[in-house]
Amino acid sequence: MKKDFFEEGQYYHIYNRGNNKENIFIEEKNYSYFLEKLKKYIIPIADIYAYCLLKNHFHIVLRIKDRKDIPEKFKEKIHLPFSNLFNAYSKSINKAYNRTGSLFQEHLQRNRIENENYLKQLIIYVHLNPIKHKFTEHFDNYLHSSYRSYLSVKQSSIDRQFILELFDDLENFKFCHDERRIVYEGILNDVSLSDD
């Protein structure tokens, strides 16, 4: 990762998949282990707004903190906690499942989010990803995304307040997700009908 991979105060959609399309989450406990590492390495340098972990890839929406809020040791190396996260996770998977080599595709993918409308669309996109990839028919019950955190009052590492204000409130947040889900399902149904 090059030094200027991330900039302070900027929003990003980051994602990656397993090398050769292989699974990066092999069993249930791998998802929570990845989230523990995400919390350990990324929360000090970024606010996380959404995530979705699927068997062979993941999506995370976040904002790199302002320079003054980033720990001194990472101010010039914002990319380093990301390297640490993926290296730590890869090593544990390789050890646990007796595999060798790279777990993830070579480079972490990232898109800079330039405006709040795009940010809202991405939050919805990430939460609906399990439907898109046919992991479930009910995104709101999917265990490995941040959607359910938004419906909870429990303490969370997700920065819910900012996003709920962006959507105006929780009701509109849910409405926008449901509305987009209907569009997805409509598209999926149209495609399947045209194949007959």
Side-chain angles (χ1 to χ4, degrees), residues 26-166:
I26 294 133
E27 56 186 312
E28 208 55 34
K29 65 182 180 182
N30 303 147
Y31 294 98
S32 51
Y33 184 75
F34 183 88
L35 291 176
E36 280 172 31
K37 295 293 169 207
L38 184 68
K39 200 184 285 191
K40 175 181 176 180
Y41 292 112
I42 306 306
I43 293 288
I45 60 140
D47 298 316
I48 297 175
Y49 298 128
Y51 68 82
C52 186
L53 313 180
L54 297 146
K55 278 186 179 176
N56 64 358
H57 71 286
F58 68 83
H59 295 272
I60 302 167
V61 179
L62 51 75
R63 177 186 175 273
I64 302 297
K65 291 182 176 178
D66 295 327
R67 187 172 177 83
K68 64 180 174 47
D69 299 321
I70 294 173
E72 201 59 46
K73 61 182 174 177
F74 297 127
K75 282 194 195 315
E76 305 306 323
K77 301 176 190 169
I78 299 173
H79 65 282
L80 198 58
F82 291 94
S83 297
N84 293 343
L85 162 66
F86 299 118
N87 288 338
Y89 184 75
S90 297
K91 278 182 188 166
S92 73
I93 291 295
N94 283 353
K95 187 177 176 189
Y97 301 98
N98 205 18
R99 70 179 296 287
T100 55
S102 178
L103 179 64
F104 295 100
Q105 275 186 351
E106 193 175 336
H107 296 295
L108 175 67
Q109 304 295 309
R110 66 110 174 88
N111 292 328
R112 191 160 141 173
I113 302 165
E114 298 292 354
N115 62 63
E116 289 187 344
N117 193 40
Y118 184 41
L119 175 60
K120 284 168 72 172
Q121 296 308 315
L122 266 175
I123 299 283
I124 295 169
Y125 170 80
V126 167
H127 287 152
L128 293 182
N129 224 250
I131 291 180
K132 182 183 177 207
H133 294 289
K134 298 184 168 63
F135 281 95
T136 182
E137 290 181 11
H138 307 285
F139 74 93
D140 46 350
N141 288 338
Y142 186 71
L143 294 176
H144 311 298
S145 96
S146 53
Y147 182 80
R148 291 171 0 132
S149 170
Y150 279 94
L151 309 184
S152 171
V153 292
K154 288 184 191 162
Q155 179 97 21
S156 173
S157 298
I158 300 294
D159 191 344
R160 295 183 288 218
Q161 177 99 25
F162 172 74
I163 295 301
L164 290 176
E165 285 173 10
L166 203 59

Side-chain angles (χ1 to χ4, degrees), residues 182-193:
I182 291 164
V183 171
Y184 269 20
E185 287 174 352
I187 291 166
L188 291 174
N189 291 339
D190 288 348
V191 170
S192 60
L193 286 173

